[in-house]
Amino acid sequence: MIANLCYSPQLRCCHETLVHFTDVEKVGWVNKVLEQAWPFFGMFMEKLLKESIQATVRLSSPALKTFSFTKVHFGHIPPRITGIKALTHEVDHKEVILDMVISYDGDVDIDTEVKPAITAGVKGLTLQGNLRVILEPLIGQAPLVGGVTFFFIRRPTLQINWTGMTNLLDTPGFSSVSEGTIMDIIASLMVLPNRMCIPLIDQVKVDQMRFPLPRGVVRVHLLEARDLVPKDTYMMGLVKGKSDPYATLTVGNKHCKSKTIKETLFPTWNEVYEFVVHEAPGQELEMELFDEDTDKDDKLGTFNLDFGEVKRDIEMDEWFPLVGVPSGEVHLKLQWFSLKSDPSLLRESTDGLACAMLAVYLDSASNIPKDHSEIGEHHKHGKHSREARLTKRTVCPNSFVEFSIGEDVQKSKVVYSSKDPKWEEGFTFFVHNVKTQQLMLQVKEPEKKTQLGVLNIPLTRLLNVSDMTLDQRFPLERSGANSQIKLKATLRILAVEKPPPKIILNPPPKDKQQIPQSTQGGNAPAANPSTATSSSPALSPNTNLAPQSSSAQWVADTQNGPDETWQSPSSSTPNMRRYDSHSLLSENSMASSRFDISDGSSYPEAIKRHQGSFGEIQLSVRYAVLRNRLIVVVNSCRNLFRFSENGTDSYVRLYFLPEQSWLHRKRTHVKKRTVDPVFNHKFEFDVSLQEAQNRKLDVSVKNGKMFHSRERKDIGMVMIDLSQLDLVKGTTEWYELTLPGLKKYS
């Protein structure tokens, strides 16, 4: 069944197979498996909690050193899978990747003892998130899959019904016991870059499953923002001022904050950030803009971008609309860097940016000394006497590892009471100068930060070994007898590949644009844009015909030619979807008309005299199921009405009916002096699929130069009934622009 989901051409969309289940029972087979396996999962979790998480909790705070689970019962209600997406694009042929939307509202019953006479428990919890499951490698014998890896791409949401917390939180030192603490523990186990791995055959290397090499690196240029919402007000809120904006950027567990720009709605940052990407598509750039205040910072909007889009396009330089606010856009430039093992590709940057990435998998160590006295004994006598070894065996060291490359310092978890600690953790570092930088490693005791051993690895050493990888045991310096540390260090060069050619949507040639004249209420009949032309001098100059394949990736497979495009029964256009616009003056859109023009104003004389087409607009519409958002992309227009010899200054205004206020007004930026503007402007609406299917889009192309005129600015309009579209599959169409109610001169 999975194979059918992955390779059905009818379900192919956005370079990946999106399987949307509007009815949960349609994935009943998955939920039945969970129901059958739930008791056994409970036994597995009991072991995990008592053997792994219990130790992690004890390390999270000195006040929790005696923490223990006294009762673990995961109840009878299993989690439910409400959506599945099987990735098929840019996926290795030896793996299967499934993204699952998981929802759990369970009857968990867990009791803990924090200290004697101080207990706490959980009687039910709710968890929701996106879980990725990777089956790899695929093999030609039973069990067909070498191992299973699963993890949350981003932190799930968690709500816990605590019991006994009142007394606990009143006790000094225990206020850290909260959903945040539990989420930190979950993140340390199974939120990227951390993974839960279950090998099914002996030949699979656990370190490669648990910490595979990242997919790539994304460099984010935070350039500027515009039209931000003013949050600072004066005169008791009667006068709106400006804002003091700053941005936060989050990828996985890495958080960055920009500088604050004072008193402006058009800030310029020109800052650069670099992020290691472990899964693309899947991992997202999460950006939030705030207005800095002395008390509480106000939110100026959010923006999320899946790095799969950056990986596909290699480079993106766009204005992105902010979500959750009436206005505001942020200008980002993003670059995707592939990870290469060819030293000849090394190009060190002159502007302080990374030229390479180092991935380190810290496995374990052996014969770690407990303190400086043992190290001194070793250096003084060369080896321990039999009596010394017997007395020192009773106390084993606590230890962690501190890595550093330049100013980047990262620490491992603490392993308690072990001369042979196992960490099994992964780390990544950006490298700016391979010739001069080195990986510095120190094994330390956590309480006094006593140094128990050191190791320095020049990065140039990695350039001269196979696959630029060192995977071995290294002797520790300034340590005990035969003290060693086992790790794997892999160097990769950051390389920019050539971006794919962009499809420029051009209008048809001039000699194929004749549109018959009409005097019927000012609405020209629908015409084939590939064969019809107008005799009016107000049309576009000679340009090339745009291919029917769309630049929007998620509809590329549905537009293979004019015969495959949906055709309105009332339209004579074989390769363009046309919508009647008579309803533009209905109740639903009157408000938008009032906001855009003055009552009683008329169209310009040139518009009234025009006897041809007013142009076309290309829109892409789809519903992102996993994000619960409707996405509308204003791609471009062609053959717009020409207001001057230099063309037309135009922008697109959009309302998501029935929302018709200025707060809900969306618009693109102005494209100047062209009748074939390319906008590539994306809008997102936070709405359920069911609600989106019952609403309409009111779209108008407007003249951006008539700011001081009382004449109507409309160049053309179209109303799109979303109930007529397959929103989940997505669609990209050309729509004819009309001006309903226009009285033309005969």
Side-chain angles (χ1 to χ4, degrees):
M1 184 169 185
I2 290 177
N4 291 334
L5 292 177
C6 292
Y7 297 105
S8 173
Q10 289 80 14
L11 294 175
R12 188 171 50 198
C13 173
C14 191
H15 293 286
E16 60 196 27
T17 301
L18 179 62
V19 185
H20 172 64
F21 300 103
T22 55
D23 181 0
V24 175
E25 293 305 319
K26 291 184 180 179
V27 283
W29 64 275
V30 179
N31 293 318
K32 288 183 184 297
V33 171
L34 288 175
E35 185 176 351
Q36 289 288 103
W38 190 243
F40 301 94
F41 176 81
M43 291 186 287
F44 168 77
M45 286 302 299
E46 180 178 4
K47 181 179 180 181
L48 177 67
L49 287 172
K50 291 185 175 181
E51 295 183 2
S52 298
I53 295 183
Q54 180 172 287
T56 306
V57 173
R58 290 176 176 177
L59 299 178
S60 65
S61 170
L64 299 175
K65 286 185 176 181
T66 60
F67 177 91
S68 64
F69 291 97
T70 57
K71 178 182 178 182
V72 177
H73 178 57
F74 271 76
H76 304 285
I77 303 176
R80 295 186 64 81
I81 304 299
T82 59
I84 295 180
K85 183 170 65 174
L87 305 186
T88 59
H89 181 68
E90 294 184 350
V91 172
D92 191 281
H93 68 282
K94 291 185 178 181
E95 66 180 2
V96 173
I97 299 181
L98 300 173
D99 280 353
M100 301 182 181
V101 182
I102 186 170
S103 177
Y104 178 56
D105 188 1
D107 53 344
V108 173
D109 187 2
I110 300 176
D111 291 332
T112 65
E113 182 178 87
V114 182
K115 277 187 175 182
I118 300 179
T119 61
V122 175
K123 296 292 188 286
L125 65 84
T126 300
L127 182 142
Q128 291 183 327
N130 291 353
L131 186 72
R132 174 161 292 187
V133 179
I134 301 179
L135 310 177
E136 65 169 342
L138 303 180
I139 55 179
Q141 59 188 20
L144 301 182
V145 176
V148 180
T149 303
F150 54 94
F151 51 86
F152 288 103
I153 295 177
R154 63 192 67 86
R155 290 192 175 210
T157 59
L158 177 68
Q159 291 181 340
I160 300 176
N161 182 22
W162 297 98
T163 61
M165 287 296 291
T166 304
N167 294 332
L168 179 66
L169 294 179
D170 288 339
T171 305
F174 292 99
S175 59
S176 61
V177 181
S178 63
E179 280 90 344
T181 303
I182 304 299
M183 279 307 309
D184 289 340
I185 296 170
I186 294 176
S188 69
L189 293 172
M190 52 185 305
V191 175
L192 276 179
N194 305 298
R195 306 163 186 248
M196 296 285 288
C197 304
I198 304 176
L200 301 179
I201 59 176
D202 295 335
Q203 292 82 354
V204 172
K205 293 185 177 180
V206 178
D207 63 316
Q208 293 181 359
M209 291 182 64
R210 187 166 294 157
F211 191 69
L213 279 177
R215 305 284 183 176
V217 168
V218 169
R219 185 172 293 163
V220 180
H221 298 256
L222 174 62
L223 302 177
E224 56 187 327
R226 65 187 180 191
D227 297 327
L228 298 181
V229 177
K231 290 292 185 178
D232 298 333
T233 58
Y234 307 96
M235 296 179 63
M236 304 297 292
L238 297 178
V239 178
K240 289 187 176 181
K242 298 183 179 180
S243 292
D244 304 320
Y246 68 89
T248 63
L249 299 87
T250 302
V251 177
N253 293 325
K254 183 175 181 180
H255 307 275
C256 302
K257 179 182 176 182
S258 75
K259 61 186 177 184
T260 301
I261 309 298
K262 296 292 185 179
E263 297 185 353
T264 180
L265 303 180
F266 296 81
T268 299
W269 289 287
N270 288 327
E271 298 180 0
V272 184
Y273 304 90
E274 295 174 311
F275 299 98
V276 175
V277 181
H278 296 272
E279 291 293 326
Q283 262 188 300
E284 291 185 344
L285 169 66
E286 302 173 39
M287 176 177 289
E288 292 183 295
L289 267 65
F290 293 92
D291 168 39
E292 187 175 73
D293 286 324
T294 55
D295 47 2
K296 181 181 179 181
D297 295 348
D298 299 314
K299 184 173 289 188
L300 297 175
T302 63
F303 169 72
N304 287 16
L305 178 67
D306 193 307
F307 283 133
E309 297 184 36
V310 187
K311 182 180 180 182
R312 180 192 67 217
D313 295 343
I314 308 299
E315 291 185 3
M316 300 177 70
D317 189 347
E318 298 181 21
W319 285 92
F320 297 97
L322 297 173
V323 178
V325 288
S327 66
E329 296 176 297
V330 62
H331 185 191
L332 301 177
K333 179 182 178 182
L334 304 104
Q335 297 172 286
W336 177 270
F337 290 85
S338 299
L339 304 179
K340 302 296 185 179
S341 57
D342 184 358
S344 65
L345 298 175
L346 180 62
R347 301 290 186 273
E348 292 182 353
S349 174
T350 58
D351 48 11
L353 299 175
C355 63
M357 184 212 70
L358 181 70
V360 179
Y361 178 75
L362 173 63
D363 186 276
S364 59
S366 59
N367 298 317
I368 298 296
K370 74 178 183 67
D371 53 28
H372 267 298
S373 62
E374 190 170 329
I375 297 175
E377 183 82 11
H378 161 64
H379 286 289
K380 182 176 180 180
H381 301 288
K383 63 180 180 178
H384 296 298
S385 65
R386 182 174 182 275
E387 181 180 358
R389 291 197 303 271
L390 289 175
T391 57
K392 295 179 185 295
R393 192 175 299 166
T394 58
V395 179
C396 294
N398 306 326
S399 60
F400 72 95
V401 177
E402 181 179 284
F403 294 98
S404 63
I405 293 183
E407 297 181 355
D408 188 1
V409 179
Q410 301 183 40
K411 299 177 182 179
S412 74
K413 64 184 179 183
V414 177
V415 176
Y416 287 88
S417 302
S418 176
K419 290 180 65 69
D420 304 313
K422 288 187 177 181
W423 292 283
E424 296 180 334
E425 289 184 85
F427 306 87
T428 56
F429 299 87
F430 286 115
V431 178
H432 301 87
N433 192 318
V434 177
K435 296 179 180 178
T436 60
Q437 289 186 303
Q438 57 182 346
L439 175 66
M440 303 178 66
L441 177 154
Q442 300 179 71
V443 182
K444 292 185 175 182
E445 190 275 331
E447 296 294 332
K448 299 180 180 180
K449 303 297 187 293
T450 304
Q451 194 178 85
L452 303 178
V454 298
L455 172 67
N456 293 336
I457 302 178
L459 299 185
T460 52
R461 180 177 172 184
L462 290 161
L463 291 175
N464 303 316
V465 297
S466 175
D467 196 38
M468 294 200 294
T469 300
L470 291 173
D471 186 2
Q472 65 185 69
R473 290 185 175 273
F474 296 88
L476 288 172
E477 300 177 2
R478 285 177 272 174
S479 188
N482 301 318
S483 296
Q484 294 182 327
I485 191 164
K486 182 181 180 182
L487 59 83
K488 179 179 180 180
T490 302
L491 185 67
R492 287 293 181 263
I493 308 301
L494 304 188
V496 178
E497 298 179 356
K498 187 177 181 181
K502 294 185 177 180
I503 300 176
I504 301 177
L505 301 171
N506 294 323
K510 183 176 180 180
D511 59 353
K512 295 185 179 181
Q513 297 181 38
Q514 287 291 341
I515 300 177
Q517 297 184 5
S518 171
T519 60
Q520 300 177 4
N523 284 328
N528 186 346
S530 64
T531 60
T533 177
S534 172
S535 59
S536 169
L539 289 182
S540 61
N542 196 10
T543 45
N544 294 327
L545 176 63
Q548 285 299 310
S549 58
S550 167
S551 61
Q553 298 297 329
W554 32 270
V555 294
D557 296 322
T558 67
Q559 298 198 353
N560 297 323
D563 296 334
E564 295 183 20
T565 306
W566 182 89
Q567 179 177 349
S568 169
S570 62
S571 173
S572 60
T573 306
N575 62 349
M576 179 184 69
R577 175 179 265 174
R578 180 169 185 248
Y579 282 82
D580 255 342
S581 300
H582 61 82
S583 60
L584 279 172
L585 298 183
S586 65
E587 259 183 39
N588 279 344
S589 60
M590 282 299 290
S592 63
S593 297
R594 287 199 302 270
F595 286 126
D596 293 332
I597 60 175
S598 302
D599 291 338
S601 58
S602 62
Y603 290 101
E605 291 296 317
I607 289 283
K608 293 179 180 179
R609 296 181 182 278
H610 180 56
Q611 298 296 325
S613 169
F614 291 101
E616 303 162 33
I617 184 171
Q618 190 193 52
L619 302 172
S620 299
V621 184
R622 73 177 176 99
Y623 189 81
V625 177
L626 296 180
R627 296 175 56 206
N628 294 320
R629 293 185 184 275
L630 178 72
I631 298 175
V632 179
V633 182
V634 179
N635 294 316
S636 60
C637 296
R638 64 186 181 189
N639 299 338
L640 292 182
F641 177 82
R642 182 187 294 274
F643 276 91
S644 69
E645 293 182 357
N646 294 327
T648 297
D649 294 356
S650 61
Y651 67 93
V652 178
R653 186 272 295 140
L654 186 148
Y655 283 102
F656 188 36
L657 300 180
E659 295 171 345
Q660 307 169 63
S661 69
W662 276 109
L663 292 176
H664 300 101
R665 180 177 183 265
K666 306 289 186 182
R667 58 165 288 175
T668 68
H669 45 279
V670 177
K671 290 294 184 178
K672 296 185 177 181
R673 296 182 295 276
T674 177
V675 294
D676 308 309
V678 177
F679 297 100
N680 289 329
H681 200 123
K682 180 168 67 174
F683 301 100
E684 297 190 6
F685 302 92
D686 188 0
V687 62
S688 67
L689 176 62
Q690 183 177 5
E691 183 180 353
Q693 290 170 331
N694 293 318
R695 298 175 69 169
K696 297 180 180 180
L697 287 174
D698 181 356
V699 184
S700 178
V701 180
K702 294 182 174 291
N703 185 350
K705 221 171 189 179
M706 299 170 61
F707 297 118
H708 305 291
S709 172
R710 293 185 56 84
E711 295 177 322
R712 298 183 66 157
K713 297 189 292 184
D714 299 279
I715 300 174
M717 308 178 187
V718 64
M719 178 79 76
I720 302 175
D721 187 349
L722 298 183
S723 65
Q724 304 300 312
L725 304 182
D726 186 345
L727 297 180
V728 175
K729 184 177 181 181
T731 178
T732 294
E733 300 285 356
W734 284 100
Y735 300 92
E736 182 180 359
L737 297 171
T738 61
L739 290 173
L742 171 64
K743 295 182 180 180
K744 295 185 179 182
Y745 294 132
S746 59

